[in-house]
Amino acid sequence: MNNPFAPPIDLSHLPNYRQADARPRRAVFLGRVSTKDRQLPASSIPRQVVLAAERLDPGEEFMAHFWDVESGMLPVHLRGLGPQEMYDGLGVPTPRDGSLQDLVDRAEQMGVTHVLAERSDRVARAMLTSLTVEHELERLGAEVIYANEPTGGTESGRLRTRRYGQAEAEIYRATMIEMSMGGQYQHATNGWNHGYPPYPYVAVVDKDAPVRGQGRFGEMRPKKKLAPHPDERRFDAARELCRLRREENLKGPDIVAILKAEPDRYPIEGEWTYNRVEGLVSNPKLTGYQVYNRRANRTGRAGFSRRNPISQWVWSPKVVHKPVVSLEEWMQAQEVTAGLRAGVEGGPLLRVRAAASRLGLTVTAVSSSAMHTLYRIGNRQIVLPAPVPEALVQQVIEDLGSVE
């Protein structure tokens, strides 16, 4: 801004009339596109470069270009983590010298004096993130300039325009999250599946779902519901491992050992593991209800998702696919799991299995009903009620010595 209170005579020839900047001007471009599928980085990034370049000095060019194909809702340290092969395959004519995080890390070393972007939401949609980036770059001696801001005028006016733009970006971010989550909630309550189908199911196209037309970037993905896996043994295996937790109070490693002992009866790709067992036991989709929002994926830690409390889960209002267990049985299994994690000792059947193991015998559940379970121990079969009374447990253990 020109000083309106100039001296009464021309003093511009004096050596200290203007403050000299010892550093040469070195400007870099900063840009962002949300996704490579829903937007076109090959056209969006060059367009942003053209707009940002309007704030360059005459004859000046960008010394480097930093841009990402990432959601503006991500924190800075999670930006630009995509492999270089992905960026190379986008066909963007603008060179890429790194991500936003790379710019912050290298700005001082490169001697960057100005960072030019189309507008503030190209830095981030969260106001705190964009403010933090601006503050860090300015601390390193680089001024952040947005092409959509007016030139001239007062500093307060420029700042007001910038903050309004940043607040608008964050409000847009919150609105988009609300609309997206609302759509996901409806997706679940209509019975359509999110993510990979659980072990005893496959995802099949719902022929009764509304047909969506051709989208901007090709055919829209069809709605899918869960259906039993063609291999019926998977359903039986899932039902059995839930029963082992619910009725026998077995821990994950014990259930894994039982399932591994009979691979023909309990088939699985690879092998049974603790995480697979615990994941199935805790999966509410086994009840026939469709459930969404069990995990929060955007936690600020790469590759880490946080479990949401059950109160935040979104359930379909009715059963929408064939259940493995009833909702009541699933709830009982969760209660047992909570007890095991709290250090509560296992149930009476765990003692039976331990006694049988000492004798080299295997306890196998043959069939079960709501009230009883038929077990095979050695060459004998025995029917036990659920739950098993303590007196009956002791009798079974004593009788194991006569089992061959």
Side-chain angles (χ1 to χ4, degrees):
M1 182 176 67
N2 293 328
N3 182 8
F5 308 104
I9 61 174
D10 183 12
L11 303 177
S12 60
H13 63 285
L14 296 180
N16 63 340
Y17 182 75
R18 296 185 185 279
Q19 183 176 359
D21 189 352
R23 300 189 308 162
R25 179 179 167 107
R26 299 171 69 87
V28 299
F29 164 77
L30 177 60
R32 182 186 61 80
V33 178
S34 294
T35 68
K36 64 183 177 64
D37 299 316
R38 299 298 180 183
Q39 293 176 298
L40 293 175
S43 60
S44 180
I45 294 298
R47 179 187 63 80
Q48 294 178 41
V49 172
V50 171
L51 293 173
E54 294 180 2
R55 303 299 292 272
L56 291 170
D57 285 349
E60 183 183 16
E61 296 182 353
F62 289 119
M63 63 169 292
H65 300 78
F66 296 88
W67 51 272
D68 297 318
V69 179
E70 296 280 8
S71 169
M73 302 177 189
L74 289 176
V76 177
H77 68 281
L78 293 182
R79 291 269 292 273
L81 298 182
Q84 186 59 42
E85 293 76 15
M86 183 270 287
Y87 283 98
D88 293 340
L90 295 176
V92 179
T94 302
R96 183 174 185 268
D97 298 286
S99 65
L100 171 60
Q101 182 66 65
D102 294 325
L103 169 60
V104 174
D105 292 340
R106 295 160 51 191
E108 185 174 26
Q109 176 186 359
M110 296 174 61
V112 176
T113 60
H114 296 81
V115 176
L116 277 58
E118 176 194 7
R119 55 180 191 265
S120 63
D121 62 2
R122 296 302 181 185
V123 176
R125 290 203 179 276
M127 188 172 182
L128 178 60
T129 303
S130 60
L131 288 174
T132 302
V133 170
E134 289 176 11
H135 175 77
E136 180 64 16
L137 288 174
E138 289 173 2
R139 185 184 70 82
L140 299 173
E143 179 184 359
V144 179
I145 299 174
Y146 300 127
N148 68 332
E149 294 178 352
T151 58
T154 62
E155 173 63 15
S156 61
R158 183 196 67 82
L159 191 61
R160 181 177 292 108
T161 300
R162 175 168 295 191
R163 297 297 178 256
Y164 280 165
Q166 291 169 325
E168 186 179 67
E170 182 149 351
I171 293 171
Y172 176 81
R173 167 180 177 267
T175 301
M176 292 301 293
I177 290 176
E178 290 171 353
M179 294 174 64
S180 175
M181 291 300 292
Q184 299 300 326
Y185 292 169
Q186 290 301 314
H187 185 92
T189 56
N190 286 334
W192 296 316
N193 186 58
H194 290 86
Y196 293 104
Y199 165 77
Y201 296 102
V202 292
V204 297
V205 175
D206 182 7
K207 296 180 180 179
D208 297 327
V211 178
R212 298 189 295 175
Q214 192 84 354
R216 178 183 172 190
F217 297 99
E219 186 175 352
M220 305 292 282
R221 287 183 297 178
K223 304 290 188 181
K224 294 184 177 182
K225 285 191 173 183
L226 295 179
H229 194 279
D231 190 344
E232 297 179 356
R233 294 175 299 173
R234 288 185 173 232
F235 233 70
D236 296 334
R239 186 179 292 112
E240 175 63 8
L241 70 86
C242 289
R243 189 198 66 79
L244 291 171
R245 172 59 52 83
R246 183 181 66 254
E247 296 183 6
E248 301 193 26
N249 293 19
L250 294 187
K251 297 180 180 179
D254 299 318
I255 297 177
V256 169
I258 293 173
L259 298 177
K260 282 185 174 181
E262 299 186 77
D264 292 337
R265 187 178 181 186
Y266 308 121
I268 192 171
E269 296 91 353
E271 63 177 8
W272 287 103
T273 63
Y274 174 85
N275 287 337
R276 280 182 166 180
V277 166
E278 293 297 335
L280 273 175
V281 169
S282 63
N283 197 326
K285 293 182 181 181
L286 300 189
T287 65
Y289 289 85
Q290 189 57 248
V291 185
Y292 174 68
N293 200 38
R294 292 187 294 137
R295 290 180 178 273
N297 293 322
R298 295 190 183 277
T299 60
R301 291 174 56 188
F304 176 79
S305 60
R306 182 185 67 248
R307 293 180 183 272
N308 288 329
I310 296 178
S311 60
Q312 295 181 10
W313 295 2
V314 177
W315 298 70
S316 60
K318 61 181 181 180
V319 172
V320 293
H321 52 261
K322 183 179 179 180
V324 174
V325 294
S326 69
L327 186 55
E328 290 73 19
E329 290 173 331
W330 179 84
M331 179 182 65
Q332 292 167 12
Q334 309 319 301
E335 293 171 345
V336 173
T337 298
L340 292 174
R341 290 176 178 171
V344 178
E345 291 298 325
L349 279 169
L350 189 58
R351 302 211 311 275
V352 173
R353 288 186 179 276
S357 177
R358 289 193 294 269
L359 297 171
L361 301 174
T362 301
V363 180
T364 303
V366 178
S367 61
S368 63
S369 65
M371 301 297 295
H372 297 84
T373 300
L374 174 64
Y375 293 92
R376 184 175 63 251
I377 306 177
N379 62 356
R380 289 187 182 181
Q381 291 188 343
I382 181 173
V383 177
L384 297 177
V388 185
E390 288 293 333
L392 184 56
V393 169
Q394 189 59 37
Q395 180 181 343
V396 171
I397 294 176
E398 293 174 358
D399 292 343
L400 287 179
S402 61
V403 177
E404 297 179 0

